[in-house]
Amino acid sequence: MVDVVESVRLIQDDEPLFINRWRHFLNEVRGQLLPRHGGKFVKSTGDGMLLVFATASAAVSAALDLQTLAIAENAGYSAASAIHLRAGVNIADVVFDDIDFYGDGVNLAARLASLGSPGDTVISDVVCDELVPNLGLQIVDMGECWLKHYRYPVRAFCVQLHGATVRVRSGDFSDLRPVIAVIPFSVSSVLAASRVDTRHGEHNALGVALADDIIAALSRRNDLRVISRLSSQVMRAYDPSQVQRTANVLGASYWLGGTVTVRGRRAQARAQLCLAATGEVLWADSSQFEIGDLFNGSDSLVPLVVAEVGRAVLQCELQRGRRLPISTLERYTLYTAGLGLLHRLGRTDFERSRELLRHLSEQEPRSPAPHAMLAKWHLLRLAQSWSTHTADEASHARHHVQRALDREPGHAFALSLQAQLTALFDHDLDHAQRIVESAIEADPQEPNAWLIAAGIQSYIGDGAKAQSLAQKAINLSPLDPARFLFDVFLASAHLTAGRWADAVTSARDSVRANAMHPASQRVLTAALVLAGRVDEARQAGEQLLRLVPTFSVKKYIDGYPGRGRPHAAVLAEALTAANLPP
């Protein structure tokens, strides 16, 4: 749903001008823009329009093109006469006839549009889940928003035309990870304008090499298990029906394959990711690359494919975890969806994540992973101030950590949570540091261990060391779905080190990724004060109080593991200067 900002004023100022410009704009949309995105024009509302698309990415791309078109149409007109749009994008089942589209999903799209400022495109959480990452986009979390005539708040995100947001998953998945098989790509060579050589000749190795590079890159991810090339190469002939049957035999949840067309030194790769059980295509795309770049490791194709595959698998599991009865879900879906919904920090998704993880812990009684994540669930619940029973939540978290360690004493993620609990509730930073060191020794590739180590150094007051450790965690998992946590730990390290501007930057990154996290708002508030931007700090402080109405500076400092150290007093003064309750 698209509408014109301040349309009533524009009509009152010069009704004929507005009508003529709007009719011209609609003609441009119907004749040029919609065919480009495969969209359908449903109706004009006089000062807006309802458009329908086959996919979320097409809808968002069209909305952004609409904004660009509107800017171009304003050329030559005064600022007072400029037409600015705001758009709302939603996914829903609707009822339609020859006249109109009907349903609550249509209403929600309109309400989402009303949240936007001029030039904004506001999307629902289900659209955000399905949005194909694009290097020209930045997605800013608006948090849970109250909409007119809606009983409950709605999670909304604003899509902007700068920055980059790509979310994939990282973490310890043990044997609960989805399994993917990568098929050697079939290769053909364009010899002339009208001739295509499909023989298995000198270029056949290219299809195998491309698959090998993708397998190697996917194997470095912690969220997927990859079938070895020796097993997946039996699917060398790229026949989707045969591939599907073989993938099921190999126990793969997903398979990835495609074709490569060679044109001299360049090639066009077409890849698709499919659900092994049904053959449903979850993602497909094509890209050109230099053949030499593939073999010397400098191509951009493989990293793009790996990021897209991770996003598509996560999206598929999130949908299944939200919509299907828990008893029907595979174990890897329970785990993947449980983690994804956990980090959203929306109340409904958060509670659903606990249900999924508890069910998984019953199905996998010997696995440490579900208990470790349930411990994190209780820690996040406390961090969100969604429970007033601090001792009980801490006790539940300790219980699940211990159950995880009973099953695997060297489970690095569980050990890192034990260190976090020791720091937060026992205030024994020396012991916490020893525990987190044992976590890093058990698995130097566990990013959460390095992250908690950074937090402990921030509490101690060693900002430089905290910065180094937080950056190490980010380097291990740069596209983590819980990246907002990594950014706020880095922001805290910058604060302790006295690097106020850097702290503001990292804290803002955290807030953009997840506006529902109180710690991010709190660190941002303190950083802005210390950077001399007190007015902005007070705005951030107001947002913190919306999330945690009971917040007070004394209560926070009393529970701060680094209380009594010089930097703690600096934090307290900064938060007080932002007009937060003392």
Side-chain angles (χ1 to χ4, degrees):
M1 184 71 78
V2 182
D3 69 6
V4 177
V5 180
E6 295 187 337
S7 58
V8 174
R9 177 187 62 79
L10 291 170
I11 292 171
Q12 289 179 344
D13 288 349
D14 194 332
E15 183 173 351
L17 175 63
F18 175 79
I19 292 175
N20 287 335
R21 292 188 64 197
W22 183 243
R23 291 177 64 187
H24 174 73
F25 187 79
L26 290 180
N27 288 335
E28 288 288 313
V29 170
R30 300 176 74 169
Q32 302 293 328
L33 189 145
L34 288 179
R36 190 162 65 243
H37 295 281
K40 177 181 178 180
F41 188 94
V42 179
K43 66 177 180 180
S44 169
T45 60
D47 62 350
M49 64 187 93
L50 176 60
L51 310 173
V52 177
F53 299 84
T55 66
S57 58
V60 173
S61 295
L64 296 176
D65 280 359
L66 276 168
Q67 305 286 12
T68 302
L69 179 61
I71 293 171
E73 291 288 326
N74 285 329
Y77 292 93
S78 66
S81 300
I83 293 178
H84 298 289
L85 305 179
R86 54 188 178 183
V89 185
N90 186 36
I91 299 174
D93 294 324
V94 295
V95 176
F96 63 93
D97 53 28
D98 294 337
I99 301 174
D100 205 350
F101 277 61
Y102 310 89
D104 183 62
V106 178
N107 296 334
L108 180 55
R111 297 300 186 207
L112 289 170
S114 70
L115 292 174
S117 299
D120 280 352
T121 296
V122 181
I123 62 176
S124 62
D125 56 351
V126 291
V127 176
C128 186
D129 287 345
E130 295 197 5
L131 191 59
V132 176
N134 183 303
L135 291 179
L137 299 182
Q138 177 171 304
I139 303 173
V140 178
D141 186 358
M142 300 175 69
E144 292 184 328
C145 303
W146 289 95
L147 303 176
K148 186 177 181 180
H149 300 316
Y150 276 76
R151 294 182 180 179
Y152 305 105
V154 172
R155 190 70 173 272
F157 299 80
C158 184
V159 182
Q160 299 176 347
L161 284 167
H162 54 83
T165 296
V166 182
R167 298 186 182 192
V168 291
R169 179 160 300 285
S170 179
D172 184 0
F173 285 72
S174 186
D175 288 331
L176 301 171
R177 298 170 293 175
V179 181
I180 184 169
V182 182
I183 311 159
F185 284 56
S186 62
V187 183
S188 61
S189 178
V190 177
L191 302 179
S194 59
R195 294 178 58 206
V196 177
D197 180 12
T198 58
R199 295 172 298 173
H200 297 288
E202 60 181 288
H203 290 303
N204 190 55
L206 180 60
V208 176
L210 178 56
D212 281 353
D213 281 2
I214 293 172
I215 288 171
L218 285 171
S219 298
R220 290 193 290 269
R221 296 177 60 103
N222 291 329
D223 55 343
L224 293 170
R225 281 190 292 154
V226 187
I227 298 291
S228 72
R229 181 176 68 83
L230 293 177
S231 294
S232 59
Q233 70 178 357
V234 301
M235 301 184 287
R236 185 183 301 277
Y238 184 68
D239 178 344
S241 61
Q242 295 294 331
V243 166
Q244 184 178 337
R245 284 194 289 271
T246 310
N248 286 325
V249 170
L250 291 173
S253 322
Y254 302 86
W255 62 265
L256 174 72
T259 62
V260 176
T261 303
V262 178
R263 295 178 175 87
R265 296 180 179 179
R266 293 184 60 79
Q268 177 90 14
R270 294 176 176 84
Q272 66 177 20
L273 177 73
C274 297
L275 193 62
T278 63
E280 176 188 356
V281 177
L282 302 176
W283 167 81
D285 200 1
S286 64
S287 181
Q288 292 188 355
F289 64 97
E290 294 284 344
I291 295 174
D293 290 345
L294 179 67
F295 286 99
N296 64 29
S298 61
D299 70 289
S300 60
L301 173 63
V302 171
L304 173 65
V305 170
V306 170
E308 290 289 277
V309 166
R311 181 206 63 81
V313 170
L314 173 59
Q315 168 55 22
C316 181
E317 300 307 324
L318 280 174
Q319 287 183 340
R320 289 163 58 80
R322 274 175 168 155
R323 298 173 183 175
L324 297 179
I326 289 179
S327 59
T328 67
L329 298 176
E330 292 90 353
R331 293 172 184 180
Y332 63 79
T333 300
L334 290 169
Y335 195 65
T336 304
L339 265 63
L341 297 176
L342 172 70
H343 292 130
R344 284 300 175 84
L345 299 184
R347 287 292 189 100
T348 302
D349 285 347
F350 193 72
E351 293 299 330
R352 177 68 169 180
S353 72
R354 187 189 190 193
E355 294 176 21
L356 295 171
L357 292 169
R358 289 180 68 176
H359 190 73
L360 179 60
S361 69
E362 295 168 0
Q363 286 196 6
E364 290 284 342
R366 290 180 290 181
S367 174
H371 288 290
M373 292 312 303
L374 282 166
K376 185 172 184 178
W377 187 92
H378 287 284
L379 281 169
L380 282 174
R381 191 173 189 222
L382 278 175
Q384 295 298 116
S385 295
W386 287 341
S387 173
T388 57
H389 305 291
T390 302
D392 289 344
E393 297 296 338
S395 177
H396 288 312
R398 291 182 196 271
H399 167 75
H400 284 295
V401 164
Q402 191 56 54
R403 294 192 69 179
L405 293 175
D406 287 344
R407 285 150 180 78
E408 186 181 323
H411 194 268
F413 184 76
L415 285 170
S416 69
L417 294 177
Q418 186 180 56
Q420 187 176 13
L421 285 162
T422 302
L424 290 175
F425 300 106
D426 298 339
H427 290 190
D428 188 342
L429 297 181
D430 290 337
H431 188 204
Q433 187 167 348
R434 289 193 294 272
I435 296 172
V436 82
E437 287 172 355
S438 68
I440 292 172
E441 183 179 357
D443 183 3
Q445 302 304 309
E446 171 52 61
N448 200 68
W450 295 95
L451 199 62
I452 300 305
I456 292 169
Q457 292 303 316
S458 290
Y459 298 145
I460 291 172
D462 190 341
K465 190 170 183 179
Q467 288 173 316
S468 174
L469 293 169
Q471 193 59 59
K472 172 73 173 179
I474 291 172
N475 292 341
L476 284 171
S477 190
L479 300 177
D480 201 286
R483 177 60 188 263
F484 69 95
L485 291 174
F486 289 64
D487 286 330
V488 76
F489 270 77
L490 181 58
S492 296
H494 288 321
L495 271 184
T496 305
R499 297 176 60 172
W500 317 133
D502 290 337
V504 170
T505 298
S506 294
R508 283 209 185 279
D509 287 342
S510 181
V511 170
R512 286 192 191 98
N514 198 324
M516 302 297 294
H517 191 229
S520 303
Q521 299 286 358
R522 184 186 65 243
V523 174
L524 177 60
T525 301
L528 286 167
V529 168
L530 293 168
R533 297 155 65 177
V534 178
D535 289 342
E536 294 176 67
R538 288 170 179 168
Q539 293 175 6
E542 290 172 0
Q543 180 60 30
L544 172 60
L545 291 176
R546 293 189 190 99
L547 294 173
V548 189
T550 60
F551 178 87
S552 73
V553 176
K554 183 179 186 304
K555 184 178 178 180
Y556 166 64
I557 293 298
D558 284 347
Y560 180 63
R563 68 178 187 269
R565 289 172 167 81
H567 72 279
V570 174
L571 286 177
E573 291 174 5
L575 293 172
T576 302
N579 286 345
L580 289 170

